Every structure is written in C-alpha cells, then in structure tokens.
C-alpha cells in the first residue's frame, strides 16, 4: 500500500473510466479466450454442456434443453447426479482428501478446519441421522442457522439424501421462520442454541421455538446445534435432538448419495423481500449446480488450490451459490466467518485475509462503502498481497467505491468483477470475465457468454447506447429458477408476463431491474424499475442520482426517494451518510447539489438533503426506500420489523423536523 494521499488517488483514478485486466492475472486465468462469447452464440444451447461437464454425472443427460413447456424450461434432461457427491466425495476420491474444504472462523477468534475427508465423514453421519429421523427424498428440511460449519454440512447432508433444504437467514424473525416453514410444508428444522454478535451470545433457539409456535402443521423433528457449549438443557419435547449426539449415534456410518434427476429440486430459497412478499424460488440439481460451478470457474476464477472467501451469509443466495455449492463443486477451500466485519476492530476482515492468505474475495457494495467510511488506515497494517481477484454483488457499485476497492484492497493488481444477478437467476448473469474483458467502474459488464441480456423499451426494441430501459434476459440459462414453490401462476406473472408473447412462443425474462447500456454492450444496472421517480414528467432512476451523490468525496452512502410535490408531482429527497471526519454542513450540501446537477441535470436537483449516521436497512444490507418515502411524505411509517436498525427511523424523522 502506498502513502499516496486520497486527493491524488482521486484525481488520477477519477480520470480513468476503464481498466485492463492485470497481465499476471490473465496469464493464469481459467477463461482467457474472447472467442468464448461467439462459441456460446454459435453453439447454443449445447455450449452449456461445458458447464455440466464440470460435474460428475451418474447418468449423462439426453437433451441439453427442453423448451416444450416454456417458460417452464428443463435443462440436462435425463441426466442424474448428486450434489453432495459432486461437492465432497469426488474430491476425496481424486486424492485431495487432506485438503481443507471449509475454513471457519468464529467471531471470538476460534477456528475450525474441515478437510474434504472431514466433510465427507460429517456429511455422511448427519445424512444418516436425518434419514433415521424419517426424512425422505423430497421432504423439505428448514435450516435456520447462522454462519457455523454445521450449516453447509446440513445442506450437503440434505442434498445427499435428496431432501431439498430451505435455509432461513438466522437474522430473520420468528415470524419469518414460521411463514417459510408454512409455505414449504416443512416438517423438519435444524437450528442452533445461539451464536455471537459483537461479542454477545445471542439466544437463537428462543426465536426458533417462537417461530415453531407459528407453524400450522405438525413439525416432526427439531435438531439443535450446541454452538455456545451450554449443553442444551432446554429442549421442549421428545422431538428435539442434540446435533452432536445424533452424529455420535451414527458414528462412521455412510449413506449412498441418492441419484437425483437433473430437474429434481435441490433447494428452495425465499427472496430477501426488499419489495413485497418473499417468493419461494425453486432451484434444481443439475442446472443450478452446473451454473454455480461454471460461474465460479469462469468469473471467480476459482482453482482447487485457492483459499476463497465470500463474505456473504449462507442465508442468502450468494452464500448458497458462492460459499457452498460453486466453490465446493470445484474442490477449493472456502472460508466462512461467523461475525461482523468491525468486531473487535474495523480491520477484522483484512486480518482474516492476511492470516489465511485469501486469494479471492467477494463482497457487497454496502460493505465496501462501510470500509470507505471507516477509512483506509484499517487496511494499512495488513498484508493483502495474496489477493488475486475481487468481486461485488447485491447492488450497483458507484465508480468511486469501485475505485476505492480496486486501489486500497486490490492494490491495483486485482481485477474487480461487478456481478449482477438475483436469487432467481441462481448465479451471475451480467459481469465481465476477469481474464477477458476490460472493466468499467460502475458498469457490471456484458451478459456472460450464453446469457442473452438486453436492455429494452416497452416496445421491446433495444435502447440506444446511453439510454435507460428495462433489463431482460431473452434466452433461458441452466441456473434459472424453475418456478415459485407451488405457485406456477405467480412465477409466470412475476417474471414473464411483462414482455413475453405466449402466442408466438416468445419468452422474455424480466428481472424488474432498470439498466443502461453503452456502445460496447456494457450494462449499468440502475436498480429496480419501481425505484424510478417522475419529476415534472421526467423519469429519473434513483440509482443514478444516488451514484452522483456518492461520487462526492465525503459522502459514504446515499438513498434517494420521491416525495410528493405540488408542482413537480414528485421531488428528489436525499438521505446521505457522511464519511468519518466529514461534517454534513452547507458546503457539503452544495457540493451534492452541484454534482447531481452536473451528472443528471437541474431537473434532478434535490428538494431536501438530510445527513444521517445510518440508513434504514434490511438484514441483507439493502436500503428500505419505502420507509424513507414515508418520512419524506410525512406519512405513517410502514412495517419496520424486518429492519436491522429500526431505531434509526425515529432519528431520521427527528432530523427532518429539526431542519
Ligand atoms: P425481492 O426480490 O424479494 O424484493 P431482492 O431483489 O432484494 O428481494 P435478491 O435476489 O437478493 O433479492 O437481490 C437481487 C437484486 O439485487 C437484483 O434484482 C438487483 O436489483 C440487485 N443487484 C444484485 N447485484 C447487483 C449488481 N451487481 N448491480 C446492481 N444491482 C444488483
Ligand atoms: Mg428481487
């Protein structure tokens, strides 16, 4: 790390709007041939076989893609495989039993390493235990667990016996657990007694018990992991079991991995619910696993000898695809961290990178903005030279945050992949290939090879470069959701109805995000289409305005919402967090206004700017804009129960009325 002051860095990097992949990276990258785009186009859909070929199949597929019942597409039809076998057994068989599969670090600093042999043993024993409890193929097992190794073990144990899992993020409430168990008719629950957050032991089991009271059907069995070491004395009935005892009872047992049809459900995952009711997204065994493995190989550039770290929670799709299934299918070492990034100090993540010599790091823009806010001094004492590739997912990343990440974490020697995708897509869709494409900060990149991403107008014509429109995907892909659980109708409504034309059998997937495209087909995702303001008849994307605001040095994060306005219809309301050491004063306010006017035009001039220490966020770190809208309009506040930081709402209201 150099001592170059931020000002110079800003000046130098600000100028630069594209970056070539570093040569040393390209030399060793998994995918380096630019011809891969053409190869997929010419040989579509058969080119997808190279994704499926990353796996071991019990039975080869007969057909790559069956489109007969579109949009209920089927992939690798006739093929059979087992996901746990692919993520564990085959690496043991291939002579890598002593390699670390999972390296886990608890918040208090304790560590555990599972070699592939350890993982094999543990997954088998727990699979035997689940079966003994009565779990059968196709029974949905709910996993309400924090970031402890027993979570991926339980996922793989389920996969081994063909029981789909439904992971419920541990930070979710008892109600959220009940809703999801009810929706999935799930009769089995694996949970734990508690876990650590900022040094405190949280009582998780109490929440699980409360959730269970809201389950409308009979729950057969509940398995509880003893994370806190308090010997779990508070079981509520005979159907409660201690995880360790179960595994001990099945010591040394082996369970033959069940051959699953490619199209059999691997898991169910409810979307984060940033907009409306969570949807039960169904992912399959063959297509999903191929896609997770392929994107891990092509985009994350994962090799078996790497130590790879995705700092998401396994409770989100990112953790499913890129902590568990993708990395383990490729036989690498995947890291898990239990705690928060600023505990005990703000350099915790960098300490983990240094200690484990992490090669690849994948995180979210919201985390990167926190790192920026905390300041680069927290990285400076740490040796991050092991890093080879950086990634982000979850939200648009503004160029300033991208460049900060590139410079201060990657030391200008790691490509940064900005990956657009969703729970529904199963894996990455729009991003650069790090060994092939140049990077343009703020723009995710082109659709991946074989992914037909297009930005279109309501008339389905593609937009001109520079114009905004709706992001669509015009061909199916192996990782796509197959339906919403027991709700085929809503599946068609949510994702296909807007742009498809069933009469001519034309199916267009609409992810409900807005985007722009440039002359090189690079896509800049602007956010959800419902996050568009109508100011005096001009449609303005909130993300674009936000990007202009966080482009102002001193502003760490911003949320823009529309407030009712007598004349304009809607007006731009800004809620912004300042960086540590910066005051939210008149001067900063002016600079924000100037930057917005420069970037978008006077039409986007903010009506009001409120500086606040935090923004209301969901548990997955996404800003709850609808609450800010309520505040802007002086309306009664909507539900705040899914917020990570509910107290901030009052605080912001106070600031607004003080102004
Ligand atoms: P719900 O669908 O229940 O409202 P959600 O959309 O927040 O919740 P996810 O599937 O976790 O649930 O998030 C996917 C969304 O996140 C995308 O549709 C997009 O809006 C945003 N997103 C993800 N990655 C990126 C990225 N790299 N750039 C821009 N936006 C992104
Ligand atoms: Mg969504």
């Amino acid at each position: 790390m150099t001592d170059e002051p931020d000002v110079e860095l800003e000046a130098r990097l600000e100028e630069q709007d594209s970056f070539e992949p570093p040569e040393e990276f390209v030399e060793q990258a998994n995918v380096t041939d630019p011809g891969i785009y053409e190869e997929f186009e010419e040989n579509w859909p058969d080119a997808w076989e190279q994704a499926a070929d990353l796996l071991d199949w019990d039975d080869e597929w007969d057909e790559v893609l069956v489109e007969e019942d579109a949009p209920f597409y089927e992939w690798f039809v006739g093929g059979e495989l087992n996901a746990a076998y692919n993520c564990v057994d085959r690496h043991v068989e291939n002579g890598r039993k002593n390699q670390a599969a999972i390296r886990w670090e608890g918040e208090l600093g304790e560590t555990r390493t599972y070699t592939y042999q350890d993982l094999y043993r543990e997954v088998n024993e727990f699979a035997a235990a689940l079966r003994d409890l009565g779990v059968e193929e196709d029974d949905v097992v709910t996993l309400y667990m924090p970031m402890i190794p027993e979570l991926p073990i339980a996922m793989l144990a389920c996969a081994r016996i063909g029981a789909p899992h439904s992971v419920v993020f541990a930070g979710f409430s008892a109600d959220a657990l009940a809703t999801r168990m009810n929706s999935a008719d799930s009769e089995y629950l694996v949970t734990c007694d508690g876990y650590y957050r900022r040094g405190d032991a949280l009582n998780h089991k109490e929440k699980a018990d409360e959730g269970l009271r809201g389950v409308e059907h009979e729950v057969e069995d509940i398995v509880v992991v003893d994370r806190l070491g308090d010997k779990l004395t508070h079981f509520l009935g005979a159907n409660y079991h201690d995880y360790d005892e179960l595994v001990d009872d099945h010591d040394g047992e082996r369970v033959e991995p069940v051959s699953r049809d490619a199209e059999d459900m691997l898991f169910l995952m409810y979307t984060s619910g940033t907009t409306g009711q969570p949807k039960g997204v169904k992912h399959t065994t063959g297509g999903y696993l191929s896609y997770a493995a392929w994107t891990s190989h092509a985009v994350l550039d994962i090799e078996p000898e790497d130590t790879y770290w995705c700092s998401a929670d396994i409770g989100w799709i990112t953790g499913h695809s890129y902590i568990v299934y993708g990395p383990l299918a490729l036989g690498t070492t995947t890291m898990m961290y239990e705690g928060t990034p600023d505990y005990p100090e703000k350099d915790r993540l960098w300490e983990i990178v240094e200690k484990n010599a992490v090669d690849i790091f994948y995180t979210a823009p919201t985390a990167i903005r926190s790192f920026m806010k905390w300041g680069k001094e927290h990285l400076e004492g740490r040796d991050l030279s092991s890093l080879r590739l950086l990634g982000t997912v979850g939200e648009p990343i503004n160029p300033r945050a991208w460049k900060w990440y590139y410079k201060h974490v990657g030391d200008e020697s790691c490509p940064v992949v900005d990956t657009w995708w969703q729970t529904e897509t199963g894996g990455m869709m729009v991003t650069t290939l790090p060994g092939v494409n140049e990077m343009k900060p703020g723009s995710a990149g082109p659709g991946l090879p074989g992914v037909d991403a297009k930005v279109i107008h309501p008339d389905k014509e593609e937009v001109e470069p520079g114009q905004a429109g709706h992001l669509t995907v015009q061909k199916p892909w192996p990782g796509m959701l197959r339906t919403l659980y027991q709700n085929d109708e809503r599946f068609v409504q949510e994702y296909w109805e807007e742009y498809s034309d069933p009469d001519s059998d034309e199916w267009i997937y609409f992810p409900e995000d807005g985007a722009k495209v440039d002359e090189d087909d690079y896509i800049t995702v602007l956010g959800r289409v419902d996050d568009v303001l109508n100011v005096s008849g001009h449609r303005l994307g909130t993300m674009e305005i936000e990007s202009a605001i966080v482009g102002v040095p001193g502003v760490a994060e911003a949320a823009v919402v529309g407030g009712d306005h007598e004349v304009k219809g809607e007006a731009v309301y800004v809620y912004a967090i300042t960086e540590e050491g910066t005051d939210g004063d008149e001067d900063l306010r002016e600079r924000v206004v100037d930057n917005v006017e420069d970037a978008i035009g006077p039409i986007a001039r903010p009506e009001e700017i409120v500086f606040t220490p935090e923004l209301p966020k969901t548990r997955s770190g996404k800003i709850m804009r609808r609450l800010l809208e309520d505040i802007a309009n002086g309306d009664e506040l909507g539900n705040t129960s899914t917020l990570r930081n509910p107290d901030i709402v009052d605080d912001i209201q106070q600031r607004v009325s003080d102004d």
Side-chain angles (χ1 to χ4, degrees):
M1 209 121 303
T2 65
D3 292 320
E4 186 183 23
D6 260 2
V7 201
E8 274 174 48
L9 158 78
E10 296 284 345
R12 181 163 57 83
L13 288 184
E14 203 182 319
E15 299 290 295
Q16 196 174 340
D17 44 24
S18 69
F19 295 77
E20 288 301 325
E23 222 162 277
E24 312 96 275
F25 180 88
V26 177
E27 274 161 20
Q28 59 77 59
N30 286 339
V31 177
T32 52
D33 179 6
I36 190 165
Y37 289 94
E38 215 172 280
E39 184 189 330
F40 266 83
E41 208 165 300
E42 280 170 10
N43 191 22
W44 198 94
D46 293 346
W48 284 113
E49 292 189 320
Q50 59 189 286
D53 283 339
L54 291 171
L55 306 179
D56 281 1
W57 296 72
D58 303 335
D59 239 329
E60 235 353 67
W61 52 93
D62 308 313
E63 273 182 275
V64 172
L65 170 65
V66 172
E67 308 192 68
E68 224 158 79
D69 283 331
F72 299 91
Y73 294 95
E74 296 181 303
W75 284 89
F76 309 121
V77 178
E80 286 184 15
L81 75 168
N82 182 280
Y85 175 83
N86 273 283
C87 291
V88 187
D89 304 39
R90 62 172 180 155
H91 308 310
V92 173
E93 291 166 12
N94 290 341
R96 284 193 284 112
K97 63 176 191 217
N98 292 326
Q99 187 197 313
I102 299 176
R103 262 186 214 288
W104 174 83
E105 182 158 328
E107 198 184 64
L108 304 183
E110 67 272 56
T111 56
R112 278 196 242 164
T113 299
Y114 291 80
T115 62
Y116 274 98
Q117 181 66 35
D118 297 333
L119 192 59
Y120 175 75
R121 184 178 354 95
E122 191 97 9
V123 167
N124 269 283
E125 289 170 359
F126 193 53
L130 286 175
R131 206 173 247 179
D132 207 24
L133 291 175
V135 178
E136 291 179 8
E137 205 175 332
D138 294 320
D139 286 347
V140 176
V141 178
T142 302
L143 310 177
Y144 185 40
M145 298 162 87
M147 288 290 282
I148 53 176
E150 287 82 357
L151 174 53
I153 288 166
M155 291 164 77
L156 293 165
C158 287
R160 194 169 192 87
I161 59 173
H165 51 72
S166 166
V167 177
V168 178
F169 174 55
F172 273 152
S173 64
D175 269 0
L177 172 64
T179 315
R180 286 160 177 74
M181 285 187 78
N182 284 328
S183 159
D185 283 322
S186 175
E187 297 177 341
Y188 299 91
L189 174 68
V190 185
T191 185
C192 74
D193 57 345
Y195 57 103
Y196 294 96
R197 264 296 171 280
R198 294 184 198 285
D200 295 331
L202 297 191
N203 188 338
H204 188 61
K205 187 167 160 296
E206 210 169 74
K207 232 170 35 164
D209 288 335
E210 195 192 323
L212 284 167
R213 284 192 283 274
V215 178
E216 286 149 10
H217 52 269
E218 194 159 335
V219 176
E220 297 286 335
D221 294 282
I222 299 120
V223 179
V224 188
V225 176
D226 181 6
R227 157 73 183 117
L228 301 178
D230 53 9
K231 287 291 149 254
L232 299 173
T233 44
H234 312 293
F235 286 178
L236 297 183
N239 58 346
Y240 276 75
H241 313 272
D242 174 15
Y243 176 94
D244 290 325
E245 271 173 33
L246 279 186
V247 168
D248 280 350
D249 289 347
H250 295 273
D251 187 35
E253 286 181 32
R254 297 289 175 261
V255 174
E256 192 57 32
V258 173
S259 253
R260 298 278 280 168
D261 272 355
E263 281 296 311
D264 279 342
M265 169 156 64
L266 178 60
F267 65 85
L268 195 59
M269 159 117 260
Y270 288 83
T271 56
S272 2
T274 315
T275 54
Q277 275 295 320
K279 295 152 271 199
V281 168
K282 176 184 158 182
H283 282 295
T284 58
T285 311
Y288 168 83
L289 194 63
S290 302
Y291 201 70
W294 163 248
T295 46
S296 296
H297 167 82
V299 182
L300 294 173
D301 199 51
I302 290 176
E303 289 284 355
E305 48 280 3
D306 286 331
T307 300
Y308 158 83
W309 186 19
C310 164
S311 75
D313 193 291
I314 293 176
W316 310 123
I317 190 71
T318 304
H320 277 53
S321 303
Y322 299 116
I323 296 177
V324 183
Y325 286 113
L328 292 178
L330 297 182
T332 197
T333 302
T334 185
M335 294 274 324
M336 282 178 75
Y337 170 52
E338 177 186 41
T340 38
D342 55 347
Y343 186 85
E345 299 298 336
K346 293 189 170 74
D347 66 348
R348 183 64 187 269
L349 300 191
W350 317 123
E351 184 194 348
I352 295 175
V353 170
E354 179 179 63
K355 197 164 69 186
N356 297 281
V358 171
D359 298 271
I360 301 163
F361 181 62
Y362 189 32
T363 193
T366 174
I368 297 167
R369 290 191 301 260
S370 297
F371 308 150
M372 284 174 76
K373 185 174 131 192
W374 297 336
K376 68 178 184 336
E377 55 274 20
H378 299 287
L379 296 87
E380 275 165 353
R382 298 293 174 186
D383 179 4
L384 307 182
S385 59
S386 57
L387 289 170
R388 165 173 109 242
L389 174 74
L390 302 174
T392 83
V393 58
E395 279 176 277
I397 178 165
N398 59 292
R400 205 162 72 87
W402 191 102
K403 288 172 183 176
W404 193 95
Y405 192 36
Y406 177 73
K407 164 77 185 169
H408 294 294
V409 182
D411 199 21
E412 298 181 66
S413 64
C414 305
V416 175
V417 285
D418 170 3
T419 61
W420 175 88
W421 60 291
Q422 312 177 289
T423 309
E424 294 88 340
T425 67
M428 302 161 176
M429 299 289 282
V430 176
T431 174
T432 50
L433 287 169
V436 175
N437 311 108
E438 66 168 17
M439 301 162 271
K440 301 186 190 184
S443 175
L448 280 174
V451 172
D452 191 12
K454 287 201 170 85
V455 183
I456 61 173
H457 290 300
D459 63 4
K460 300 194 216 175
E461 286 298 311
E462 281 187 69
V463 299
E464 296 294 318
Q467 270 188 341
H470 286 176
L471 180 58
T472 58
V473 187
Q474 310 218 348
K475 281 201 195 106
W477 64 100
M480 67 196 302
L481 80 164
R482 296 306 192 265
T483 191
L484 291 176
Y485 192 59
Q486 295 181 340
N487 204 341
D488 290 349
E489 209 177 306
R490 187 170 173 206
F491 165 70
V492 176
Q493 256 170 25
E494 286 282 341
Y495 307 106
W496 304 94
E497 217 153 61
E498 186 88 14
Y499 284 113
S500 303
D501 180 6
D503 293 334
S504 56
D505 212 23
E506 176 197 50
W507 294 98
I508 296 178
Y509 177 83
F510 179 40
E512 301 188 296
D513 280 342
K516 285 197 306 200
V517 65
D518 72 7
E519 43 308 313
D520 301 321
D521 290 330
Y522 274 49
I523 293 171
T524 295
V525 179
L526 300 169
R528 290 153 214 286
V529 289
D530 45 11
D531 291 339
V532 169
L533 308 185
N534 194 330
V535 181
S536 309
H538 297 266
R539 290 168 67 74
L540 304 172
T542 54
M543 294 289 171
E544 219 176 346
I545 309 177
E546 283 164 11
S547 183
I549 296 168
V550 291
V552 176
V555 179
E557 183 155 15
V560 163
V561 298
D564 299 336
H565 191 279
E566 263 180 41
V567 181
K568 303 177 184 168
E570 267 185 311
V572 175
Y573 280 72
V574 176
Y575 301 85
I577 306 180
T578 54
E579 271 166 25
E580 234 134 83
T582 304
D583 284 332
D585 55 14
E586 266 325 298
D587 179 52
L588 189 63
R589 218 167 243 139
E590 248 166 62
R591 281 190 284 136
V592 167
V593 171
D594 288 349
N595 223 43
V596 170
E597 292 199 345
D598 286 350
I600 298 140
I603 186 72
R605 187 187 170 86
E607 189 75 19
E608 189 169 321
I609 299 171
V610 180
F611 291 110
T612 161
E614 277 176 55
L615 291 165
K617 288 202 179 154
T618 62
R619 311 264 169 188
S620 60
K622 289 183 179 169
I623 300 166
M624 262 297 207
R625 287 190 178 69
R626 70 174 165 71
L627 282 178
L628 294 170
E629 233 165 70
D630 293 342
I631 296 175
N633 290 324
D635 289 346
E636 198 164 315
L637 296 183
N639 187 355
T640 58
S641 67
T642 59
L643 285 185
R644 180 161 70 186
N645 51 354
D647 296 343
I648 195 66
V649 178
D650 284 343
D651 190 81
I652 297 177
Q653 273 182 320
Q654 198 56 43
R655 281 164 202 271
V656 171
S657 55
D658 286 353
D659 271 349

